Amino acid sequence: MKGQLTQNLQHRRDVMRLLLLITFFGGCVFSVINFYRGLMPLAILEISYGLFSLVLLRIVPTTANLHKWILVYLLPFFTIMMYALARPNASEAIFAWILTIPVISYLLMGRKHGFWCSAFFIVIGISVFHWRFMDKDIGLNIATSLNVILSSCLMMTFAHIYERNREQNEERLIELAGTDRLTGLANRMKLTEAFQHLSAYAKRHQSPLVMVLIDLDYFKNINDQYGHHVGDLALCHVADFLKARVRQTDILARFGGEEFALLMVGASLRESYQQVDSLRQQLMQTPLLTEQTEILINFSAGIAIFGDDGMELNELLAKADNRLYLAKRNGRNQVVAQDQI
């Protein structure tokens, strides 16, 4: 979903902006410290990268190529960490920064790319640490090595689990936001997103795309006679009936109240009319069974075709709604696919 992608990108933009600010201030502070210690190459790298972070801070909030700029930021950042750790007079404390690599990678790159980026630099970091800080005491070496390796693996594991749960929760929330609670069908928001995708496909491939609005006839009588609980059962009955009979490529949504919308992909006006009219006839023969009685349900429908009746969703909905009104005015329980002459 487009909404999901936008939300993921915004999450990463926010994290990136915070890290860029930290990088700028950290680069300034450590460059001063390393300049005082006489480590000129490292000090120059740190101040240069701090200033570069300020440049990225202006780019990140609006760029359409966020993933590219994340790589531009991370690869030199992690490389400078390795260089700092490998310096002859480096402190073991620098390895604490290596342990931040999984967290930063997963937050900015997601699970798949974050895993590979983390694994690559963590392996290098552990190798550099062993090369720089292992001494002749074998027992101490083994203990130090196990601590370094286990702490690195734990950080990767925690980052992976956190990112997986965050993505799953986000997907679940977005799915709920696009789902009608009563019927389980798509709602208006999801219909709008689906139309954007399908209309682009229809334009590109010159493929038919049809919008159908379906409204249950005399639905108010069901609520008045049997109560709103039975009315809800009727809506679910029709939703299940339609969902079981439309194609998987079509998009079925509850449009509001007792009204449903159906986006039919690759079907001509004639084919869509025949299919919707067949659904109408089948529904008449599939009553809702309650403890009290059998309730016969029928619907009226209006059809609009992408291109001929409009290029935007609102245009198609308006045209389909006009034809739905014609069906109601002409006696209900029918499908209208063209304007009256």
Side-chain angles (χ1 to χ4, degrees), residues 124-180:
I124 294 177
I126 291 174
S127 300
V128 172
F129 183 89
H130 280 73
W131 170 63
R132 281 286 294 111
F133 299 107
M134 292 296 103
D135 55 31
K136 297 179 180 180
D137 188 332
I138 297 177
L140 181 60
N141 285 350
I142 293 174
T144 302
S145 181
L146 286 175
N147 281 323
V148 168
I149 293 172
L150 287 176
S151 61
S152 300
C153 290
L154 279 174
M155 290 301 295
M156 280 197 65
T157 302
F158 292 153
H160 189 88
I161 292 173
Y162 166 81
E163 184 64 17
R164 182 192 64 191
N165 291 339
R166 189 196 65 79
E167 289 178 358
Q168 289 176 345
N169 290 334
E170 186 178 79
E171 289 171 3
R172 178 61 177 162
L173 288 173
I174 292 172
E175 184 64 28
L176 288 173
T179 302
D180 176 65

Side-chain angles (χ1 to χ4, degrees), residues 176-202:
L176 288 173
T179 302
D180 176 65
R181 287 188 177 184
L182 177 63
T183 62
L185 300 179
N187 60 16
R188 280 196 180 202
M189 184 189 79
K190 198 166 185 178
L191 177 70
T192 301
E193 291 189 347
F195 177 79
Q196 292 172 352
H197 171 73
L198 294 175
S199 61
Y201 178 89

Side-chain angles (χ1 to χ4, degrees), residues 30-43 87 89:
F30 284 111
S31 66
V32 171
I33 293 172
N34 287 318
F35 179 81
Y36 178 78
R37 295 174 62 201
L39 304 177
M40 290 299 295
L42 186 56
R87 296 284 302 177
N89 48 358

Side-chain angles (χ1 to χ4, degrees), residues 15-26:
V15 173
M16 183 76 163
R17 290 167 65 184
L18 178 60
L19 285 172
L20 289 171
L21 285 172
I22 293 173
T23 303
F24 170 69
F25 289 110

